[in-house]
Amino acid sequence: MPATIDLLLTENVDNLGIVGDIVKVKAGYARNYLLPRSLATFPSQELIDQLADRRREAEAQLAALRTKQAGLVEQLEGYELRIERSCNDQGQLYGSVTQKDIADALNEAGYGVQMRDVRLGTPAKRVGHYDVPIKFTPELECTIDVSVAPDRPLNVEDESDEPGIEFDDDGNPIEPVADSSSTENEEATQDAEKEAAAAE
């Protein structure tokens, strides 16, 4: 069997085509997935003619879906979505906010978005604002503002008395680098105190 082969789709296949399309695919993909599941077959004019009505229906459904998605892009551009989560007083979440969480929240708000349409690079692990792309197709894309907020007032200490704790992107505290000169001064003071105590 050659490396790639032409097949006639007998069903709609995501990211590949709709029923009636003739597509070029890798032989392994055809042999292990498309053919065993009756999603495609080897093309012939007779089969193409048989699938003509179903193809017209699929094209109409696809056009309606694209119109709906285009409307969603207009509605969602710049949309602010607020999601509350439990976190510690430093704003680190006890869990994380994922693509599914965002898709579920958008659906609850009345926007028909699937999890795969939410292009969140990595789950959000801290409170804050995140620019999240919503991408239906390469031509239909927008960006929403996801605000991950604490589910309670945070008990933040007064930063005027103590330096604030900084966190990395994963929410882990960053250890401050010790000042070598101040460390040496502290050691010298401790040595002097020991000598004074011994003299007494």
Side-chain angles (χ1 to χ4, degrees):
M1 183 178 286
T4 59
I5 57 175
D6 290 335
L7 289 180
L8 173 66
L9 294 183
T10 55
E11 300 290 345
N12 298 339
V13 179
D14 288 341
N15 302 317
L16 186 58
I18 62 173
V19 58
D21 278 350
I22 296 178
V23 295
K24 186 179 292 292
V25 297
K26 292 183 178 180
Y29 181 48
R31 181 175 61 251
N32 298 322
Y33 183 76
L34 295 175
L35 294 173
R37 289 168 174 76
S38 299
L39 299 175
T41 187
F42 294 99
S44 70
Q45 189 58 52
E46 181 181 359
L47 289 173
I48 292 172
D49 293 341
Q50 289 177 7
L51 294 173
D53 289 341
R54 290 183 56 202
R55 177 176 174 78
R56 280 190 289 271
E57 291 176 6
E59 287 175 335
Q61 292 172 357
L62 185 61
L65 177 62
R66 292 290 179 265
T67 300
K68 178 182 177 182
Q69 290 172 339
L72 281 174
V73 166
E74 292 183 4
Q75 295 174 43
L76 288 173
E77 183 63 57
Y79 179 77
E80 296 181 6
L81 176 67
R82 179 183 172 90
I83 297 178
E84 291 189 356
R85 286 291 184 272
S86 298
C87 66
N88 62 20
D89 286 330
Q90 287 73 44
Q92 182 177 355
L93 304 183
Y94 293 127
S96 63
V97 174
T98 65
Q99 288 174 278
K100 184 178 186 304
D101 295 323
I102 295 172
D104 288 346
L106 287 172
N107 278 283
E108 288 178 11
Y111 301 101
V113 174
Q114 297 185 45
M115 185 175 71
R116 68 185 179 193
D117 301 327
V118 179
R119 305 302 172 94
L120 180 66
T122 57
K125 297 181 180 180
R126 292 185 55 77
V127 297
H129 290 268
Y130 299 84
D131 290 333
V132 180
I134 306 297
K135 187 173 183 178
F136 301 108
T137 70
E139 298 79 25
L140 295 175
E141 180 178 4
C142 62
T143 301
I144 65 172
D145 174 22
V146 177
S147 173
V148 180
D151 63 350
R152 61 178 176 82
L154 300 185
N155 183 23
V156 181
E157 296 181 359
D158 186 357
E159 294 185 356
S160 62
D161 297 332
E162 297 183 7
I165 300 175
E166 295 184 2
F167 296 84
D168 60 21
D169 292 337
D170 293 326
N172 301 314
I174 300 173
E175 294 293 337
V177 178
D179 185 348
S180 59
S181 61
S182 63
T183 303
E184 290 173 0
N185 290 337
E186 288 178 5
E187 291 177 351
T189 303
Q190 291 174 357
D191 291 341
E193 290 175 351
K194 289 179 182 177
E195 290 176 3
E200 293 176 357

